[in-house]
Amino acid sequence: MTFEGVLLIIVVALVLIKFFQSQLYLTIFREKPRLSLKSLIETAVFTLGTILAGMYITDLIIALVLFNAIVWGAFHALLKYLKYSLLAWISAVLCWLFVHATYTNFTPVAHTELWYYTLISWSLAFMFILIYDTTGKYLKLVPSLLTWVVIITTALIASIFIAYQTTYSVPLKSGPLYAIYQTNLQEAIEYIAMYGYLGYLFLVGAILVALLVLLIRLEFQKRKAIDNGMFFKIVIGLFLAINLNVFKHLEIPTLLTSSINDYQKEVEIFKAEMANRKSGEIDFTASKNDDKELYVIVIGESLNKNHMSLYGYHRNTTPSLDSLYKDNAIIKYDQAVSSHTHTVQVLTQSLTETNQINKNDFYTSLSALEVLNVAGFETYWLTNQLAYGAWDNPISALAEAADHRYNFNLNIGMVADAMVLDNELVVKLKEIIKNGINKNTVVFLHLMGNHGSYEKRYSSDYEKFSGPLERHMFGPEPYKKKAVNAYDNSVLYNDFVVSEAIKAVKEYDKTSALLYFSDHSEDVLQNKGHNADVFTWSMVQIPMLGWFSDGYKNTYKEKYEAFINNRQKLFTNDLLYDGLIGMTGVASDRYTSKHDVFSPDYRLPIDQCFTLHGHLPYNKEDNYYYYQHKNTRFLDSLGQLSRVYPHRVNTIGKLNNILYNGHNSFEIDIIFRQNNDSTYFEIGHDDNSLSGISLKYFLEHCNVDNLKKIWLDLKNLNSDNLQAVVKQLNLLDEQFNIKSKAIVESSIGSEDFSLLADEGFHTSFYLPTHVMDYDKPAMIKEAKMIANQVHKQNVSAVSFDAGLFPFVKEHLEPLLQNHIVYHTWDLPRNFTMPDLPEILFDEAYYHDERVKSILIKYYSDFEL
């Protein structure tokens, strides 16, 4: 039933009471109001007060404010005549409280909204007058108490909106209201004690008591009786006001109504989700011998490992975790994959027995929390995700099994807003540890992490990345700089949160461990988020890492070593249930060791590795992440990474990609620049694809000592700049020691190219690709010219397109000295090809010992 419907019933009831009281003898309102000078002064003050309130609270034009004040003055005069002036003052205060609340939390108050609030205030006042007139003579104090309760309630609603906006400088929306609906009396008292002022609370209490006394006095005050004519005029006015249905036109009542309805609906959906859980009917065993161990499971949100410097990203987004990894304090998994791109689909498998392999029913599968509880653990669930909502109800249903549950985000529905930043969960974790770990304990921290909107996930202190995305870092691709910068800032903040959680656990002096993983990833560069409908492989590239105390390493040596040994294996996070049981040392009959990364039995064959709940094989042909990793590892096992390596690594972003994946050699394009102030090599293939950075800057961003080969494709070497080029390369050698690694390639015809060889550089003559189009006589002639050129330039190698290999073997090689080696490129081949090893093995050049370099394409988001 609507509020207007309730009012209608009350008015009808009052009419019936008055009907029997009056015995149908209706009179008209004959006596004219006569107000004293004192009353007129009070009305004038009242009117002036409404003028000042209107000018201060709204930005309406002065004519509307004045007219509204005059009408309120007439209203006060009428109630003063009826001996109810107190109700006039209360009505005005309540009206302007709501107008002010609307003005500060929503759009500026429209003149129609001002009149609606005025009409409601008058209607309530007249309603109470009728109540006083019809019931006060029989039920003393009841009208006053009822009036007092309504006044407090309405004033409190408006005050909450005003106080929230004043305190946080943001409007009060649905999220905080859901928090209020979920807050019990104890939590409310704790909040007031934390943020309230004692003196202010006493003042409010005193005002409420005084108001109650004034209203009670109204019961015993001699009032002007309302005759039947006036009574029924008021009734007719109330009927009209009620049927105008004004509440739907007002911001605050509309927000309150919709939020209450949404909250009730979501709670009912959650209860239905809870009712579907049948795991409580399962008989199982779970036990644990050791005591007072602490385990913390941090569940990240939407974190793409390829935006973490810990995983080779070119921005320093994880400085704290990088430091921990450098000190061997954490272990990270390189091939962790998300089982889906959405949180519910992931965690309903990660935290229960069901996974993409066994495909068990979620509702009849045990959860890790249930197993840990039976094993005697004290369990905590700390979450900054939504309390209730379509995206969260199944996870909340699992979390209900925890002994202690703390919701830091009391929003509901299909929103991604958080009320606090993730570090508040770590603060609570520290409090739990400080209060004492008296038994085996597991604490789950479910972060809001890196969920969009990214800029809402960190404080201003972490606003490190801004401005344009540098070409030499990201390439020319028009990525959305605002989204990328905000996301990288959120990764930086997440690094702080996770490292702080590790510090907190580290303070515990007994056996402890922390495991972090993200539910899924996020395709930030393509601006696709994690929507499975527009799936990309970037959406499932997640990080996973672990920290372990010395006590854990000693007590569970086999588990710890297994976790290390499995770190390069494929892992999908739907198998985490068994990993949690293994990690915590629980013995259970609902456990599979081959799915446990803490077990030497762990294995995940590629034919059992899926995502999107088993619908998409991870080794699908377009998954370049998998195949570039696989092909790199395979070539590394053959000792071929310094022979088969990436072509055109012209950005810092791509450089970091290939180095992190394990490559130790690469080819780069350079153009020599010479002016009055300086000489340098600029990275770039031609004037249309320049990076804007120097080769020196580029080399400073990689550890040259760890490199095997740097193929320098020098695009503009000529007789005029040769001397300056030699000098500049020698300067770079002095700083980076590149002579033993560099391959300097050029198509220059001058014999002076030998100067570089004289300086100790490995030089290579570039064979013109058009030779492939020659007939045999022309090829023979060209071979003689090239051989003569190679001899004069004293080069160490020739470099050519793989299509020229037959020409080299048949016509050129017989004319070359034996020490001349070959460098080739086969650009139709790339590291993403599923059958790359077979393709290379079928090529004659691969098996030729004189071929020392084979360039093939390497996919990167940061191409130039």
Side-chain angles (χ1 to χ4, degrees):
M1 181 179 291
T2 65
F3 182 70
E4 290 86 350
V6 174
L7 289 180
L8 190 62
I9 292 173
I10 294 174
V11 171
V12 171
L14 295 174
V15 169
L16 292 174
I17 293 172
K18 191 67 177 181
F19 177 81
F20 290 111
Q21 288 178 354
S22 64
Q23 296 180 353
L24 298 179
Y25 295 107
L26 303 179
T27 63
I28 61 172
F29 183 62
R30 295 182 297 270
E31 184 179 354
K32 297 181 179 180
R34 295 175 183 174
L35 301 178
S36 64
L37 179 62
K38 180 180 178 182
S39 297
L40 290 173
I41 293 174
E42 182 183 346
T43 298
V45 171
F46 180 91
T47 304
L48 179 62
T50 56
I51 293 174
L52 294 175
M55 294 176 65
Y56 174 73
I57 292 174
T58 74
D59 55 3
L60 295 173
I61 60 175
I62 189 65
L64 288 174
V65 173
L66 290 173
F67 183 70
N68 181 263
I70 293 172
V71 173
W72 270 99
F75 171 75
H76 175 269
L78 175 61
L79 265 62
K80 180 70 177 177
Y81 169 74
L82 298 175
K83 306 296 185 181
Y84 285 100
S85 63
L86 178 61
L87 286 181
W89 284 98
I90 292 173
S91 299
V93 170
L94 290 179
C95 177
W96 288 108
L97 266 177
F98 271 94
V99 171
H100 184 41
T102 303
Y103 183 75
T104 55
N105 283 270
F106 301 94
T107 55
V109 180
H111 68 276
T112 53
E113 195 160 13
L114 176 61
W115 292 116
Y116 282 136
Y117 275 123
T118 298
L119 182 59
I120 291 173
S121 301
W122 292 359
S123 299
L124 289 175
F126 285 129
M127 178 74 72
F128 289 125
I129 289 174
L130 297 187
I131 294 173
Y132 275 107
D133 190 67
T134 54
T135 65
K137 63 187 71 174
Y138 306 112
L139 302 171
K140 291 292 184 183
L141 303 183
V142 170
S144 294
L145 289 173
L146 178 61
T147 305
W148 187 67
V149 169
V150 173
I151 290 170
I152 291 174
T153 302
T154 52
L156 181 62
I157 291 172
S159 299
I160 288 173
F161 277 83
I162 296 170
Y164 187 89
Q165 198 282 333
T166 303
T167 303
Y168 300 107
S169 299
V170 293
L172 177 60
K173 298 296 185 182
S174 298
L177 288 175
Y178 299 142
I180 294 172
Y181 303 153
Q182 297 171 57
T183 300
N184 57 39
L185 181 60
Q186 179 180 350
E187 290 173 335
I189 293 173
E190 290 175 354
Y191 183 87
I192 292 172
M194 182 179 300
Y195 298 104
Y197 295 98
L198 194 59
Y200 175 76
L201 294 178
F202 276 125
L203 176 62
V204 172
I207 291 174
L208 293 178
V209 171
L211 179 60
L212 181 61
V213 170
L214 289 173
L215 289 171
I216 292 175
R217 279 192 61 196
L218 198 61
E219 293 285 358
F220 300 97
Q221 180 179 331
K222 184 178 180 181
R223 300 188 301 273
K224 181 148 186 92
I226 302 177
D227 64 15
N228 296 325
M230 171 61 79
F231 182 91
F232 283 102
K233 287 176 182 177
I234 292 176
V235 167
I236 292 170
L238 287 174
F239 268 113
L240 291 174
I242 291 169
N243 284 282
L244 285 175
N245 197 18
V246 297
F247 286 98
K248 69 179 182 181
H249 302 289
L250 302 176
E251 297 277 10
I252 291 178
T254 300
L255 176 61
L256 290 172
T257 302
S258 63
S259 63
I260 291 172
N261 290 338
D262 290 344
Y263 178 72
Q264 291 175 338
K265 180 178 70 174
E266 293 295 344
V267 169
E268 290 302 316
I269 294 173
F270 171 72
K271 289 178 179 178
E273 186 72 40
M274 286 292 295
N276 287 332
R277 290 286 298 162
K278 304 296 183 183
S279 58
E281 303 171 5
I282 300 174
D283 290 327
F284 68 97
T285 61
S287 60
K288 167 79 173 172
N289 294 326
D290 300 287
D291 197 16
K292 296 185 180 180
E293 296 178 351
L294 172 63
Y295 298 93
V296 175
I297 313 302
V298 184
I299 305 172
E301 165 72 52
S302 302
L303 182 54
N304 187 330
K305 69 184 177 188
N306 296 313
H307 281 258
M308 302 172 70
S309 50
L310 181 67
Y311 285 86
Y313 189 47
H314 54 271
R315 279 178 160 178
N316 188 21
T317 54
T318 53
S320 298
L321 292 176
D322 292 346
S323 179
L324 288 170
Y325 183 72
K326 184 178 180 181
D327 295 337
N328 296 316
I330 59 175
I331 301 161
K332 63 185 171 77
Y333 271 51
D334 281 327
Q335 292 204 83
V337 180
S338 174
S339 62
H340 207 281
T341 68
H342 298 294
T343 302
V344 170
Q345 286 85 338
V346 171
L347 295 188
T348 50
Q349 290 193 339
S350 295
L351 301 177
T352 69
E353 288 179 292
T354 181
N355 55 54
Q356 297 179 106
I357 299 172
N358 63 35
K359 301 184 185 299
N360 291 341
D361 177 57
F362 162 67
Y363 293 107
T364 57
S365 296
L366 282 177
S367 75
L369 274 164
E370 290 168 321
V371 173
L372 293 168
N373 285 336
V374 171
F377 278 81
E378 186 164 10
T379 52
Y380 291 81
W381 184 272
L382 282 58
T383 180
N384 203 18
Q385 298 275 327
L386 301 188
Y388 304 113
W391 297 335
D392 302 86
N393 281 325
I395 312 306
S396 295
L398 293 175
E400 283 294 304
D403 297 322
H404 312 278
R405 180 177 175 180
Y406 297 91
N407 288 343
F408 290 79
N409 183 359
L410 300 178
N411 286 302
I412 68 167
M414 297 181 70
V415 298
D417 293 333
M419 302 177 69
V420 299
L421 295 176
D422 282 339
N423 192 51
E424 292 301 314
L425 279 67
V426 180
V427 172
K428 186 63 180 181
L429 170 65
K430 292 177 180 178
E431 179 186 320
I432 292 170
I433 297 173
K434 183 178 180 181
N435 290 340
I437 304 298
N438 300 315
K439 58 190 297 190
N440 290 326
T441 300
V442 175
V443 183
F444 288 85
L445 276 66
H446 192 187
L447 308 179
M448 184 57 84
N450 310 92
H451 198 294
S453 302
Y454 311 134
E455 66 275 4
K456 296 180 180 180
R457 306 302 167 221
Y458 54 89
S459 63
S460 58
D461 296 341
Y462 291 84
E463 189 83 37
K464 178 180 178 180
F465 305 107
S466 60
L469 304 179
E470 303 95 330
R471 185 181 178 89
H472 69 274
M473 290 284 186
F474 291 88
E477 202 59 37
Y479 300 130
K480 294 183 179 296
K481 63 180 181 180
K482 182 178 180 181
V484 174
N485 287 331
Y487 187 80
D488 289 350
N489 287 328
S490 75
V491 176
L492 181 64
Y493 181 77
N494 189 77
D495 171 72
F496 161 71
V497 172
V498 177
S499 60
E500 283 296 300
I502 291 174
K503 287 180 184 178
V505 180
K506 191 176 182 180
E507 291 297 315
Y508 185 63
D509 58 0
K510 295 181 175 62
T511 298
S512 60
L514 178 145
L515 184 70
Y516 171 87
F517 74 100
S518 183
D519 55 358
H520 51 77
S521 180
E522 189 94 344
D523 191 338
V524 185
L525 297 177
Q526 300 300 328
N527 201 37
K528 293 183 177 180
H530 54 268
N531 184 354
D533 292 337
V534 289
F535 177 84
T536 66
W537 289 105
S538 184
M539 296 178 187
V540 294
Q541 303 301 307
I542 62 169
M544 187 170 82
L545 59 90
W547 175 92
F548 306 91
S549 69
D550 291 337
Y552 187 92
K553 296 173 186 177
N554 294 329
T555 304
Y556 301 105
K557 183 178 180 181
E558 184 183 64
K559 294 178 180 295
Y560 176 68
E561 290 179 350
F563 188 76
I564 294 176
N565 294 335
N566 292 327
R567 70 187 185 279
Q568 289 298 335
K569 295 180 181 179
L570 283 169
F571 172 78
T572 52
N573 58 5
D574 55 312
L575 304 180
L576 193 70
Y577 164 88
D578 293 294
L580 294 179
I581 294 176
M583 174 188 183
T584 53
V586 171
S588 176
D589 58 349
R590 307 299 290 243
Y591 162 77
T592 304
S593 63
K594 67 180 181 181
H595 294 161
D596 173 18
V597 289
F598 289 86
S599 169
D601 300 335
Y602 175 76
R603 60 185 183 276
L604 182 61
I606 187 59
D607 60 354
Q608 294 182 6
C609 186
F610 301 95
T611 189
L612 296 187
H613 276 192
H615 292 99
L616 189 62
Y618 193 65
N619 63 345
K620 198 170 184 292
E621 289 185 0
D622 63 344
N623 184 2
Y624 58 89
Y625 290 107
Y626 172 68
Y627 285 108
Q628 289 198 152
H629 186 277
K630 177 188 176 184
N631 289 331
T632 300
R633 292 293 174 272
F634 179 75
L635 290 170
D636 188 30
S637 69
L638 299 178
Q640 292 288 303
L641 281 188
S642 60
R643 184 170 182 248
V644 183
Y645 50 92
H647 167 260
R648 195 171 295 178
V649 181
N650 286 356
T651 65
I652 300 296
K654 186 171 182 178
L655 173 68
N656 280 40
N657 286 164
I658 65 128
L659 293 179
Y660 184 79
N661 202 23
H663 288 277
N664 55 34
S665 303
F666 56 86
E667 184 255 3
I668 186 172
D669 299 315
I670 58 175
I671 299 175
F672 185 65
R673 302 297 190 192
Q674 188 174 20
N675 53 49
N676 295 331
D677 298 325
S678 63
T679 58
Y680 63 96
F681 296 104
E682 182 175 7
I683 306 296
H685 183 267
D686 51 51
D687 288 340
N688 295 321
S689 58
L690 297 176
S691 67
I693 60 169
S694 67
L695 177 59
K696 178 183 177 182
Y697 181 88
F698 191 87
L699 294 175
E700 287 172 345
H701 282 74
C702 57
N703 189 342
V704 179
D705 291 339
N706 293 334
L707 298 178
K708 298 295 185 182
K709 291 179 183 176
I710 309 172
W711 182 331
L712 300 175
D713 186 353
L714 184 51
K715 295 297 184 181
N716 64 334
L717 183 65
N718 55 55
S719 299
D720 294 333
N721 63 22
L722 182 58
Q723 294 285 349
V725 165
V726 172
K727 182 179 179 180
Q728 188 63 32
L729 285 173
N730 277 323
L731 289 174
L732 290 173
D733 179 61
E734 290 176 7
Q735 184 173 355
F736 300 105
N737 190 26
I738 63 172
K739 280 183 181 178
S740 61
K741 309 170 189 297
I743 300 170
V744 183
E745 178 198 51
S746 178
S747 61
I748 185 174
S750 172
E751 294 181 15
D752 293 338
F753 191 39
S754 61
L755 290 175
L756 279 169
D758 295 341
E759 291 292 329
F761 286 96
H762 179 94
T763 55
S764 181
F765 179 74
Y766 171 89
L767 302 188
T769 307
H770 60 257
V771 175
M772 285 187 287
D773 300 327
Y774 290 179
D775 57 19
K776 186 173 182 179
M779 284 187 176
I780 293 173
K781 182 180 178 180
E782 186 73 21
K784 290 178 180 179
M785 293 176 58
I786 293 172
N788 184 53
Q789 183 76 21
V790 167
H791 177 70
K792 290 179 179 180
Q793 291 183 338
N794 193 27
V795 296
S796 304
V798 292
S799 48
F800 51 86
D801 186 288
L804 281 172
F805 183 72
F807 161 77
V808 171
K809 294 300 290 182
E810 182 177 356
H811 301 293
L812 182 60
E813 185 173 297
L815 305 177
L816 298 176
Q817 294 175 297
N818 291 335
H819 71 273
I820 302 296
V821 297
Y822 307 146
H823 304 298
T824 189
W825 56 90
D826 192 355
L827 299 186
R829 316 304 181 198
N830 63 75
F831 281 94
T832 69
M833 300 175 73
D835 53 352
L836 178 64
E838 291 84 356
I839 291 174
L840 288 177
F841 291 163
D842 285 342
E843 295 291 349
Y845 64 72
Y846 180 83
H847 300 283
D848 192 314
E849 293 184 356
R850 292 182 77 163
V851 176
K852 301 300 182 182
S853 298
I854 304 170
L855 296 182
I856 62 176
K857 286 186 176 180
Y858 185 98
Y859 175 79
S860 171
D861 289 311
F862 313 118
E863 296 285 353
L864 179 61

